[in-house]
């Protein structure tokens, strides 16, 4: 009797988890298609479930967006691979390429989460940690003659920011290649007055 009861609970739990997976997958697919704020009705249609089922699993859309954002933020917590360049300018361009690839991957979800971020302490904390982490890694890669110059450091940080990437890709409607070329031009102009040299420190990593 107990075994049958346990099997029923396990079966119900599996169905719940499978339904939640379908809801999350449907929402992610819609966001990748530039629908940055999908409705419960759109998610239900994509997941092939009823609209009420969506709200049985998530009280509101903010809860769903929060779950997706937290799941997508997990890779950012993984210790990144060490950079390959032995000089600091080479490392800066590696940092640029890694950031831009990450921005392009996460941009649809970032735009969706931004609509809810200011009303959600959890999302705000994820965003603040993300920005702080990227800035710390940038500072570690720069020589002191650059990192100690506040205006120059801020200019480099802005040039390599998600906000600039979004402006180029969305507002100015540039391709990935053209957007990358713009940012590389900005970075090269900012770094060109400074002689290249060994990286500081030699094993700095960047995601």
């Amino acid at each position: 009797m107990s075994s049958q009861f346990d099997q029923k609970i396990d079966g119900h739990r599996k169905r719940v988890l499978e339904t939640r997976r379908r809801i999350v997958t449907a929402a992610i697919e819609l966001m990748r298609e530039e629908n940055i704020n999908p409705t419960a009705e759109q998610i239900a249609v994509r997941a092939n479930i009823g609209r009420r089922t969506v709200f049985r699993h998530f009280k509101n859309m903010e809860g769903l967006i929060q779950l997706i954002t937290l799941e997508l933020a997990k890779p950012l917590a993984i210790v990144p691979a060490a950079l390959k360049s032995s000089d600091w300018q080479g490392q800066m361009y590696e940092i640029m390429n890694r950031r831009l690839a990450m921005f392009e991957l996460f941009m649809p979800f970032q735009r969706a989460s931004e609509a809810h971020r200011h009303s959600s302490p959890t999302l705000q904390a994820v965003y603040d940690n993300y920005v702080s982490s990227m800035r710390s890694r940038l500072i570690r890669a720069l020589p002191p003659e650059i990192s100690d110059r506040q205006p120059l450091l801020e200019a480099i940080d802005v040039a390599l920011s998600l906000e600039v990437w979004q402006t180029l890709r969305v507002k100015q409607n540039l391709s990935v290649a053209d957007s990358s070329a713009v940012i590389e031009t900005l970075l090269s102009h900012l770094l060109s007055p400074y002689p290249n040299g060994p990286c500081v420190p030699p094993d700095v990593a960047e995601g």
Side-chain angles (χ1 to χ4, degrees):
M1 182 69 177
S2 176
S3 177
Q4 291 180 346
F5 182 72
D6 290 341
Q7 288 177 358
K8 287 182 179 180
I9 293 178
D10 289 342
H12 174 71
R13 185 178 295 123
K14 287 180 180 179
R15 288 192 297 272
V16 168
L17 292 175
E18 172 60 18
T19 301
R20 286 175 68 89
R21 185 195 64 78
R22 288 168 60 185
I23 292 171
V24 170
T25 299
I28 289 176
E29 288 176 355
L30 289 167
M31 289 178 196
R32 286 196 188 278
E33 296 167 7
E34 297 299 317
N35 184 349
I36 65 171
N37 201 11
T39 65
E41 289 81 0
Q42 291 170 327
I43 292 171
V45 170
R46 181 63 62 94
N48 196 26
I49 58 176
R51 178 178 177 275
R52 290 184 178 180
T53 302
V54 175
F55 286 111
R56 277 203 299 268
H57 289 268
F58 299 94
K59 293 182 179 179
N60 49 48
M61 292 304 297
E62 180 181 322
L64 176 57
I65 298 296
Q66 179 171 304
L67 175 63
I68 291 172
T69 302
L70 293 175
E71 285 297 314
L72 293 171
K74 286 180 179 179
L76 302 180
I78 299 174
V79 177
L83 297 172
K84 298 178 180 179
S85 298
S86 58
D87 59 87
W88 67 264
Q89 283 197 15
Q91 288 199 348
M92 286 303 300
Y93 288 106
E94 282 190 64
I95 287 174
M96 180 195 75
N97 289 328
R98 292 187 187 188
R99 280 197 184 190
L100 300 189
M102 182 179 66
F103 291 164
E104 184 64 18
L105 178 63
F106 286 96
M107 187 168 59
F109 311 107
Q110 170 66 19
R111 292 170 65 196
S113 66
E114 195 160 314
H116 300 267
R117 179 162 53 85
H118 297 293
S119 61
S120 172
T122 303
L123 286 180
Q124 185 67 49
V126 169
Y127 180 80
D128 291 344
N129 183 68
Y130 161 75
V131 172
S132 176
S133 175
M134 287 208 307
R135 182 178 176 86
S136 295
R137 291 167 183 168
L138 175 66
I139 292 172
R140 292 200 302 271
L142 290 168
E145 59 264 34
I146 296 180
S147 60
D148 290 345
R149 293 187 60 192
Q150 191 71 18
L152 180 58
L153 172 62
E154 300 302 338
I156 295 171
D157 199 22
V158 168
L160 297 177
S161 67
L162 175 60
E163 288 75 15
V164 168
W165 184 253
Q166 285 181 328
T167 296
L168 295 171
R169 293 284 289 119
V170 179
K171 293 185 179 180
Q172 296 180 216
N173 198 31
L174 297 182
S175 67
V176 170
D178 287 343
S179 298
S180 299
V182 169
I183 293 178
E184 184 172 352
T185 300
L186 287 172
L187 187 61
S188 64
H189 279 289
L190 290 167
L191 299 181
S192 60
Y194 299 90
N196 199 8
C199 57
V200 183
D203 60 347
V204 68
E206 166 67 19

